[in-house]
Amino acid sequence: MTEEKFNEIKNLYEKINTKKSSIRQIDLLLSSCGLSCKITGTPRNGFRSLNDYHFSKREQITKLLEMEREVLQTELKELESKFSNQ
């Protein structure tokens, strides 16, 4: 195995662990009692103004977290597939 191949495998493994950690974090958040959510964004070509939006309903926050978890799980499956094919 070359050093380049080793580094590629190591990088994939680290990405897999990061995705798993993020999924665990979302699961912990979903099981917590008090959820609040603040989204901050900067409009295009507008570096001076920040737009904030606050979610207060648990259903909205739960839906957002579940959607993010689905995205992370899909990415994780792709990474694990690449890793197993190495």
Side-chain angles (χ1 to χ4, degrees):
M1 179 185 307
T2 65
E3 185 177 344
E4 182 180 302
K5 187 70 168 176
F6 174 77
N7 288 334
E8 182 180 332
I9 292 171
K10 181 181 171 190
N11 190 20
L12 270 174
Y13 184 73
E14 289 171 357
K15 286 180 181 179
I16 287 171
N17 284 334
T18 301
K19 298 291 179 192
K20 285 181 179 179
S21 175
S22 295
I23 291 170
R24 278 191 299 270
Q25 185 66 32
I26 288 174
D27 289 337
L28 289 172
L29 287 171
L30 286 171
S31 65
S32 70
C33 294
L35 280 177
S36 65
C37 181
K38 174 184 168 186
I39 297 176
T40 304
T42 307
R44 289 187 181 179
N45 301 324
F47 295 106
R48 293 186 184 164
S49 63
L50 289 176
N51 296 328
D52 291 343
Y53 187 79
H54 297 271
F55 290 100
S56 57
K57 292 185 179 178
R58 183 174 179 83
E59 295 82 26
Q60 291 174 328
I61 298 168
T62 301
K63 193 175 207 178
L64 285 172
L65 288 172
E66 287 173 348
M67 288 179 358
E68 181 64 18
R69 182 175 53 192
E70 287 177 19
V71 169
L72 288 169
Q73 286 174 333
T74 302
E75 292 173 355
L76 177 62
K77 286 179 184 177
E78 291 172 4
L79 288 171
E80 287 176 334
S81 175
K82 277 184 182 179
F83 187 77
S84 65
N85 290 332
Q86 292 294 324

